[in-house]
Amino acid sequence: MSILEARHISKAFGGIQALDTCSISVEQGEIMGLIGPNGSGKTTLFNVITGYEPADKGEVHFNGTSITSARPDHVFSLGLGRTFQLTRIFSRLTVLENMHVAAQRRGSRALLSRWSSRHEQKRALELLDFVGITQHKNELAGSLSYGQKKLLEFAFILIAEPKMILLDEPAGGINPTLLNHLSERICELNKRGVTFLLVEHNMEFVMGLCDRITVLHRGAKIAEGAPEDVRKDPLVLEAYLGG
Ligand SMILES: Nc1ncnc2c1ncn2[C@@H]1O[C@H](COP(=O)(O)OP(=O)(O)OP(=O)(O)O)[C@@H](O)[C@H]1O
Ligand SMILES: [Mg+2]
């Protein structure tokens, strides 16, 4: 059963056809990779799915509900979380304060200055530990390395306990040790039932982690299947080598 389905999505920016009748279907419980050369439309597809960019054409369904043209906060409240290629955390707040904001975004009515419950604060600390950045909890988020910011953003969305998570280049800037840690965390969440769609240029990471991979080129899907099949697909090789 598919949890996320985007059908025939087209999106142009002026003369640039970022997405051209592009479809993708992600099964409940899988880890799907989304790869393709720079500018092939991966982030635009994430933006359309999560309501950050309106599509020119096409439909999106999540967990049995149409989210075509839905607003980002509505998509998020249905259980579809995402991270950004360039992280969107609050640089002038500490790591823990960022988690506080995340908890409030989830819908608690606490005053900004207070955690609504001990439980929520405990959970925030657990999640920082889960992604591996506890030791930075009192540092300003803006002072973190690029990789650590990505991990904070991951923890930030986990507080809402999403059913599905879209990750845009989660491995970018993350050192090899943290990268292994991240891989394990994604697997662990997946075992607990969270579905993933992830964009990533680190092929080793993608191939090792994903059940299936979809390949975009110039806004269209050119291949889809098991990692071992996709990596030797002539169309895929040509897209990467030919630019
Ligand atoms: N807001 C925008 N305004 C104009 N052009 C855009 C905009 N967003 C994306 N594009 C263009 O659409 C195309 C697809 O971009 P997109 O960011 O989706 O690619 P991508 O596959 O995520 O690339 P990368 O791997 O470099 O992140 C590119 O040609 C890009 O320049
Ligand atoms: Mg991108």
Side-chain angles (χ1 to χ4, degrees), residues 8-13 16-23 34 39-49 53-57 216-221:
H8 312 305
I9 306 288
S10 291
K11 172 75 185 174
F13 296 104
I16 298 167
Q17 195 68 44
L19 292 170
D20 185 4
T21 336
C22 181
S23 298
L34 180 62
S40 54
K42 305 178 296 295
T43 297
T44 304
L45 186 57
F46 271 21
N47 287 341
V48 165
I49 290 171
E53 294 279 4
D56 299 331
K57 280 186 198 151
L216 294 191
H217 183 43
R218 298 190 178 132
K221 181 159 76 182

Side-chain angles (χ1 to χ4, degrees), residues 42-43 85 168-169:
K42 305 178 296 295
T43 297
Q85 189 166 349
D168 200 347
E169 301 200 15

Side-chain angles (χ1 to χ4, degrees), residues 99 122-135 151-152 154-156 158-159 165 178 180-192 194 196:
M99 295 302 285
K122 187 164 162 268
R123 172 132 178 85
L125 288 167
E126 277 167 8
L127 284 172
L128 291 179
D129 189 44
F130 183 77
V131 302
I133 56 169
T134 303
Q135 68 272 37
L151 293 169
L152 171 58
F154 191 32
F156 190 95
L158 286 178
I159 218 159
I165 302 176
L178 274 182
N180 274 338
H181 184 80
L182 178 66
S183 248
E184 282 168 17
R185 287 343 198 186
I186 292 173
C187 285
E188 200 172 320
L189 288 165
N190 182 245
K191 284 202 189 89
R192 287 193 230 151
V194 181
F196 284 89

